[in-house]
Each structure stands twice: as C-alpha cells, then as structure tokens.
C-alpha cells in the first residue's frame, strides 16, 4: 500500500466510523424529546424512564462523536494540506458555523443531563430540543462543506489561482440542499431502525415489555416515516448528480455507453474492459427518467468522459446497489408496520413483526456507509470536482501507511469500547426500569 492509498484509506476509515455517531447525534435527541414530551403530558413514569435511558445513550454517542470528529478535522490538514491551503478560505464558513452549533449542543446537553428537578419542567424539555436542533444543524453544515467538493462555487479559478472568494455562495452551493436533505432523512432512517431493532429484540426476550414497547413505537414511527419519504430525496439527488457529475452517475449505474432511453440497471457485475454489465436486470428508459424526468432523454455514458477522469466503476456501482437495496428492504418493513397501525392492529403484538425490525437493525447504517462510498468514490479522481485532483492534494510526507495502521487499531478499540458501554447501558435498563 502506497502513501496515497493509505491517506485515502485512513480518511475513509475515519469518516465511516464518525458518520455513525453523527447520525445518532443528529436524531436520538429528537426521540428523547418526544418521550420527554409524552411524560410531561401524561405523567406516565415509563416515559420518564425511556427519556433518561435514551439521554445516557445520547451522552455516550456525543462524547465518541466529538473525539472522532476532532480527528477528522486534523486529518484534513495533515493528510490533504494542498487541498486545505486553497479550499480552507473558501469553504471554511460551514466548518466554523458547525463548531458554533457543536458548542451550543454541548451546553444544552449539559443542561439537559443535569437539569432534572432543577429547572422549570418545560425549560428542561426545551434544552433537549436544542440538543437535537443544534446537532441537526451541525450535520447539515458539514454536508454543505462536502457538497462544495462535489459542486464547487463561490470563487473564480483563473490561471491556477482562486480569486473573488464568496464564502456564502460556497456554503450554499448548488448541491448543498439535495445532499443535506438526503443525508438528514438517511440519518432518521438509520437511527430509527437501529433503535427500534434493539427494543424489538428486548420485547422478544420478554424484558421490560412496557418500557421497550413505548421506546419501540417512537423509534419505529420516526424510522418508518423517513424510509418511505427517502426515495423523494433520492430522486432529487439523482437529478442533481446527473446534471453536475455525469461521471458519477455513469459509474453508479455502470452506464458505459451514451444513449437515449437509457436502461436502469439492477444488480449485475461491471466489466470495465469490455464495457458491459453481466447478469443485470435492465429496466428500459428508467435511467433516463431518473436522471432527467423523461423516459426518452439521453444519458451521458463513460464513453463521453476521458478515461483518466473515470471513477472506480465497480466500487461505485456495488455501493449504489447496496444503498438502494437496503433502502427498499426498509421501505417494505415500513409499509408492513404502517399497514399494521392502520388495518391490522393484531400484527402490532405479533413476534414476526418484531423479528423483521431486529433483522433490519443494521440496514440503515449499511445504507449510509454505502451512500457515502458512492459520494466519495464516485467523485474520484477529483477532491474538488473538476478543479483539483485527489493525488495533487495529498501530503508529501512519507510513512502515512503506518498512521493508517495505527488509526485502524485505535478505531477498532474505540468500537469495542462503545459496544461495551452500550451493552452495559442496555443491561442497566433491565435492572433500573422494571415493569
């Protein structure tokens, strides 16, 4: 492994690790605030217990997310100095604002955790809402910075120089809305299904059924609602990618040849040498519709793009298929759940329904990781799309491979520690909050 691949691998590992905690940090406070609201309105002690249990989980993920997020900030400068030299002044504003949002989130979380029976009950609840809103804002601001890498704006690039810098225009670039919307909904899907799955497992085991049933319902409603509306944001994102990053769309769909009425490919194994996809199911015209809203429109293939600018097709294609496939499975589970709520109330207590959610527990985060793989790998070989190549941004310092190995060990250890803390928290719930 050379230093360039090691630098990319370390960044991918750090981002893949951090994004899990980012999603949970964006969403779990809203679950917490809803259960707290139910407690204030009904005075049912079970909702207070749910709120306190979830708040401890939020604290664990907040601390871990802060550590992993700080590491990412340092890695941007240490691994990609040429990138930060030019890009920092342009897209630094969303990062600065993200720091402010994080600061507000930390203060609000402190108030919330230690505010029980000390503040006015509604002010205390409101601090929990602030934790959620600031966490959501923090995530959106970081995504805005990433969107700038996909759709650079807010500057003029003349003779290798970045001039006429406009940080506001850079932050609100043409891709920020579609990416922020898609990522926000994905965070609700992933966290909702993960939390619902854990509580479903506890229900199946017969542990504190009332406690876990209340928790399950809140998480499942959030996750299932988000899963059903996610395709709308996916459609917006697909059309944006088709317009601004045709090479990425072509890699996502392993679309080698420019054509009208282009087929949407389901599955398949791309063969880049022969420029074909084997064993795929093809839906004629659907890629044209997905990209341009017209079944007969032309979709740019990789044949129109210089070979040196091709993204890794196989990785991008497989990641896209995994993202869509897991999303469809969660939509199916969501449809069954809402059918149960609407027409088949007896299904709500059936073990099979809870087993479905247990199976679906990791699907949301698998989809998130696959989606970010599409976003980052599909942009290659560019770190700033069409402006700066990734290979030109990497640090010239040697020995990055050893840094990658070290960070891999650290993140593996941290993952084990977090898993232990969560397991301990779940076991503690069993002892403290008996029905």
């Amino acid at each position: 492994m050379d230093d360039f691949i090691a630098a990319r691998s370390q960044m991918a590992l750090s981002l893949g690790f951090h994004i899990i905690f980012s999603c949970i940090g964006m969403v779990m406070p809203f679950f917490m605030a809803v259960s707290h609201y139910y407690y204030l309105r009904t005075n049912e002690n079970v909702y207070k217990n749910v709120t306190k249990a979830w708040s401890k989980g939020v604290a664990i993920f907040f601390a871990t997310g802060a550590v992993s997020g700080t590491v990412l900030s340092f890695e941007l400068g240490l691994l990609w100095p040429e990138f930060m030299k030019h890009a920092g002044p342009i897209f630094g504003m969303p990062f600065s604002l993200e720091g402010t949002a994080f600061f507000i989130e930390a203060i609000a979380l402190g108030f919330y955790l230690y505010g029980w029976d000390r503040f006015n009950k509604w002010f205390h609840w409101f601090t929990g809402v602030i934790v959620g809103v600031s966490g959501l804002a923090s995530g959106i601001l970081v995504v805005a910075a990433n969107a700038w890498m996909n759709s650079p704006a807010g500057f003029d690039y003349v003779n290798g120089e970045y001039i006429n810098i406009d940080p506001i225009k850079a932050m609100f670039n043409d891709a920020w809305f579609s990416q922020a919307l898609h990522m926000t909904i994905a965070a609700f899907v992933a966290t909702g299904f993960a939390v619902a799955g854990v509580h479903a497992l506890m229900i199946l085991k017969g542990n504190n059924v009332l406690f876990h049933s209340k928790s399950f319902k809140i998480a499942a409603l959030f996750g299932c609602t988000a899963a059903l509306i996610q395709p709308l944001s996916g459609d917006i994102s697909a059309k944006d990618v088709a317009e601004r990053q045709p090479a990425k769309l072509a890699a996502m769909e392993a679309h080698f040849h420019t054509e009208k009425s282009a087929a949407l490919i389901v599955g398949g194994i791309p063969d880049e040498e022969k420029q074909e996809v084997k064993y795929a199911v093809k839906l004629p015209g659907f890629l044209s519709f997905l990209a341009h809203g017209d079944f007969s429109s032309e979709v740019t293939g990789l044949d129109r793009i210089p070979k040196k600018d091709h993204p890794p097709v196989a990785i991008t294609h497989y990641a896209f298929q995994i993202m869509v496939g897991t999303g469809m499975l969660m939509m199916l589970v969501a449809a069954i759940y809402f059918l149960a709520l609407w027409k088949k109330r007896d299904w709500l207590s059936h073990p099979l329904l809870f087993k479905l959610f247990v199976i679906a527990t990791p699907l949301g985060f698998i989809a998130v990781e696959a989606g970010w793989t599409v976003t980052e790998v599909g942009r290659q070989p560019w770190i700033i799309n069409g402006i700066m190549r990734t290979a030109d941004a990497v640090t010239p310092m040697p020995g990055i491979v050893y840094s990658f190995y070290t960070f891999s060990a650290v993140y593996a250890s941290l993952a084990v520690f977090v898993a232990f803390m969560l397991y301990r928290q779940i076991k503690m719930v069993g002892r403290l909050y008996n029905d």
Side-chain angles (χ1 to χ4, degrees):
M1 179 185 294
D2 61 26
D3 286 334
F4 175 59
I5 296 299
R8 286 186 60 190
S9 299
Q10 182 173 323
M11 202 71 193
L13 174 69
S14 302
L15 179 60
F17 189 85
H18 177 69
I19 198 169
I20 295 174
F21 304 107
S22 297
C23 288
I24 296 171
M26 290 167 64
V27 174
M28 273 297 292
F30 290 103
F31 296 2
M32 181 181 74
V34 168
S35 63
H36 193 175
Y37 177 80
Y38 283 154
Y39 167 64
L40 294 178
R41 297 295 296 181
T42 66
N43 208 33
E44 293 182 28
N45 208 48
V46 64
Y47 285 117
K48 181 179 182 180
N49 293 338
V50 170
T51 304
K52 285 192 169 184
W54 277 349
S55 67
K56 292 175 182 177
V58 168
I60 292 171
F61 285 111
F62 178 84
T64 313
V67 172
S68 58
T70 302
V71 169
L72 273 170
S73 300
F74 280 110
E75 285 179 338
L76 279 172
L78 294 173
L79 298 178
W80 313 101
E82 194 66 22
F83 167 69
M84 291 305 296
K85 173 185 174 182
H86 298 288
I90 304 173
F91 81 149
M93 180 171 285
F95 277 127
S96 300
L97 293 175
E98 190 273 338
T100 302
F102 178 81
F103 182 65
I104 295 171
E105 183 182 7
I107 294 173
L109 182 60
F111 279 179
Y112 191 80
L113 292 175
Y114 297 101
W116 290 98
D117 303 320
R118 291 182 175 88
F119 297 140
N120 171 277
K121 63 180 184 179
W122 286 107
F123 174 77
H124 181 222
W125 171 80
F126 182 69
T127 62
V129 174
I130 293 298
V131 174
V133 172
S134 55
L136 191 63
S138 180
I140 290 173
L141 287 164
V142 171
V143 171
N146 179 267
W148 179 84
M149 297 165 70
N150 292 316
S151 180
F155 66 97
D156 292 323
Y157 186 64
V158 180
N159 297 326
E161 296 291 328
Y162 299 78
I163 60 175
N164 301 326
I165 294 172
D166 183 346
I168 299 295
K169 188 176 180 180
M171 182 167 66
F172 295 109
N173 57 81
D174 291 332
W176 86 268
F177 175 76
S178 61
Q179 279 197 215
L181 178 66
H182 196 62
M183 183 63 228
T184 299
I185 298 175
F188 275 92
V189 175
T191 307
F193 271 86
V195 174
V198 170
H199 290 293
L201 180 61
M202 294 299 105
I203 293 170
L204 289 171
K205 290 185 174 183
N207 295 338
N208 307 326
V209 173
L210 178 61
F211 174 92
H212 290 294
S213 294
K214 299 294 187 183
S215 305
F216 169 81
K217 185 174 182 180
I218 294 171
L221 283 172
F222 271 103
C224 291
T225 301
L228 291 178
I229 64 175
Q230 181 68 305
L232 299 177
S233 73
D235 181 67
I236 295 172
S237 294
K239 288 177 171 56
D240 180 78
V241 169
E243 179 183 351
R244 308 186 196 290
Q245 295 178 285
K248 178 184 287 187
L249 181 70
M252 287 161 57
E253 276 296 313
H255 184 60
F256 291 104
H257 304 288
T258 302
E259 60 183 349
K260 295 183 178 180
S261 299
L264 182 71
I265 292 176
V266 179
I269 300 175
D271 186 332
E272 294 186 57
E273 289 189 6
K274 295 183 179 179
Q275 296 194 340
E276 63 182 18
V277 184
K278 301 176 181 178
Y279 316 116
V281 175
K282 296 186 178 181
L283 305 176
F286 275 83
L287 181 57
S288 293
F289 180 79
L290 183 70
H292 303 295
D294 180 358
F295 284 99
S296 61
S297 63
E298 182 178 87
V299 179
T300 302
L302 289 167
D303 58 346
R304 290 267 184 92
I305 298 163
K307 195 170 183 62
K308 63 185 177 65
D309 295 337
H310 284 194
V313 176
I315 296 174
T316 308
H317 177 71
Y318 293 141
F320 181 66
Q321 295 294 311
I322 290 170
M323 180 186 70
V324 174
T326 51
M328 295 296 289
L329 289 173
M330 288 184 290
M331 285 181 64
L332 177 61
V333 175
I336 292 171
Y337 182 66
F338 281 120
L339 178 62
L341 285 174
W342 181 41
K343 287 284 189 180
K344 304 286 186 179
R345 304 290 297 185
D346 55 310
W347 289 6
L348 294 175
S349 57
H350 199 286
L352 185 58
L353 180 68
F354 297 119
K355 289 178 181 178
L356 284 175
F357 275 92
V358 171
I359 294 170
T361 299
L363 294 183
F365 285 110
I366 291 173
V368 166
E369 298 286 4
W372 272 102
T373 300
V374 172
T375 299
E376 296 303 297
V377 176
R379 189 179 60 246
Q380 300 307 313
W382 305 101
I383 192 168
I384 306 175
N385 189 49
I387 302 292
M388 178 184 288
R389 290 180 179 271
T390 309
D392 296 332
V394 71
T395 177
M397 295 299 292
I400 302 301
V401 65
Y402 301 109
S403 173
F404 169 61
Y405 293 146
T406 301
F407 271 81
S408 298
V410 169
Y411 279 126
S413 301
L414 192 56
V416 171
F417 175 74
V418 172
F420 170 76
M421 291 293 291
L422 291 176
Y423 175 77
R424 183 182 177 188
Q425 177 63 23
I426 293 170
K427 295 289 287 185
M428 192 178 297
V429 166
R431 292 195 301 270
L432 295 179
Y433 305 133
N434 291 312
D435 293 344

